[in-house]
Amino acid sequence: MAERFDRIWHNARLATMREDLPDLGIIEHGLIAVRDGRIAYAGTQSDFPDDADATERIDCAGRWITPGLVDCHTHLVFGGNRAHEFELRLKGASYEEIARAGGGIVSTVAATRTASEADLVAGALPRLDALIREGVTTIEIKSGYGLNTETEMRQLSAARALGRVRPIAVRTSFLGAHALPPEASGDKDRYIDLVCQQMLPAVAQAGLADAVDAFMEGIAFSRDQTARVFEAATALGLPVKLHADQLSNLGGASLAARYSALSADHLEHTDEAGAQAMAAAGTVAVLLPGAFYFIRETTKPPIESFRAHGVKMALATDCNPGSSPLTSLLLTMNMGATLFRMTVAECLAGVTREGARAQGLLGETGTLEAGKWCDLAIWDIERPAELVYRIGFNPLHSRVWRGK
């Protein structure tokens, strides 16, 4: 009896992103078959059974198919915007100066605390829709603009709600250790006590977070304070990730590796020891060229060191109101290539396979392989390099999430 599938895409060229195949895992004359939302077959048409049956057959007319894109670092849910700070920066104020003067993250906190969950969802939807229109099928969304238990949980709940009103997989990260709220009166240790003893347990009990993040930096939290957050997360069975080495080298990459973090993100000032530690721990380097560009950084992440030590590299938008108001993974790839000198293969892997790895989801998505979710992006392009090369152009033909 002939095998039956829900849907078959044929006459396609596949960039499978499989690690066991060379050159983006390209398969010419490819075919993908789906059953119950998962890929049942992804390979050459000639190896697929001639008598297979399907409810629907789609002729891709030679178009390229990649895995659905993965944006593995965003702060998509927040209140207000910070366009006025952008004006200040244009006049010469630095990111740190704005933060120390009461702007920056704390100004977004004030707007977020007054927003209802419905307000937060409504505000985030246009940003999410922009990403979906470019083929994004999985996204990570952080809290960190509440800095109290109630608002942090409302942010995370709004992020979860986005995954119910749009066809996209949403992963959430609790980022209570993002900045010091005004009511803390400068006492960082006391605030970290609150994060570890009250906020994090409440978030975990409600099942609102898939991971725990922190911002380890001179304008944020120290190594010891961050380690306390990671200890609390580990005790609750939650994986960790870290905003590390963005503005200075405080050893964030090494600390993240010590806790087997899913990822360490930013990494402009990471040293050789940090790269070695990340490689040994399997911690993914999430590179955020949008923030590098927007705040006019000049120190680049140590790409050559990451390559030399075999550190996996992902790319993400870091969509946020203050340092990366970016809602395009396609532009992010171009920035990764142009600003950081990443290759086309590294950029494409960074927003598919390695983005999935950075969320602990590589077993479910990120490559075109049997058993994974059928999340696809189908492109009107002649070669995959076009996805990295073009600026301000979206060649997405169609997007598939869970086989539909």
Side-chain angles (χ1 to χ4, degrees), residues 278-356:
M278 288 176 64
T283 296
V284 177
V286 176
L287 307 176
L288 305 170
F292 174 91
Y293 164 82
F294 197 75
I295 65 174
R296 301 181 184 183
E297 264 292 336
T298 54
T299 301
K300 298 175 183 178
I303 303 295
E304 289 295 343
S305 180
F306 293 151
R307 286 179 183 142
H309 294 293
V311 177
K312 303 297 186 181
M313 294 184 287
L315 280 168
T317 62
D318 190 18
C319 176
N320 75 72
S323 62
S324 186
L326 174 62
T327 51
S328 171
L329 262 187
L330 294 177
L331 179 54
T332 299
M333 281 195 286
N334 181 272
M335 287 180 167
T338 304
L339 300 176
F340 296 164
R341 294 293 186 261
M342 295 174 71
T343 67
V344 166
E346 287 169 341
C347 291
L348 288 170
V351 300
T352 54
R353 183 182 68 231
E354 303 311 333

Side-chain angles (χ1 to χ4, degrees), residues 361-391:
L361 293 177
L362 188 54
E364 295 289 306
T365 191
T367 63
L368 303 180
E369 295 183 74
K372 295 194 177 185
W373 287 116
C374 187
D375 296 344
L376 315 175
I378 304 175
W379 306 96
D380 280 318
I381 55 175
E382 287 299 316
R383 56 190 297 145
E386 284 185 53
L387 298 176
V388 181
Y389 150 76
R390 290 185 179 272
I391 301 173

Side-chain angles (χ1 to χ4, degrees), residues 94-173:
S94 71
Y95 182 75
E96 290 190 56
E97 286 169 345
I98 290 170
R100 293 189 188 281
I105 292 167
V106 175
S107 65
T108 298
V109 169
T112 303
R113 286 181 174 181
T114 62
S116 67
E117 181 174 324
D119 292 335
L120 293 173
V121 170
L125 276 173
R127 297 186 282 272
L128 181 62
D129 287 341
L131 292 162
I132 287 174
R133 284 193 294 270
E134 288 192 351
V136 174
T137 54
T138 301
I139 190 168
E140 184 256 18
I141 302 175
K142 305 178 190 295
S143 64
Y145 293 128
L147 309 185
N148 60 34
T149 305
E150 176 190 356
T151 315
E152 288 288 307
M153 293 180 71
R154 188 162 67 246
Q155 264 195 283
L156 293 167
S157 183
R160 289 268 202 250
L162 290 169
R164 295 192 293 272
V165 299
R166 290 293 186 271
I168 190 167
V170 173
R171 301 288 284 184
T172 55
S173 296

Side-chain angles (χ1 to χ4, degrees), residues 14-27 353:
L14 312 181
T16 67
M17 306 312 301
R18 283 170 48 179
E19 289 185 278
D20 61 332
L21 297 176
D23 301 325
L24 307 179
I26 288 174
I27 296 175
R353 183 182 68 231

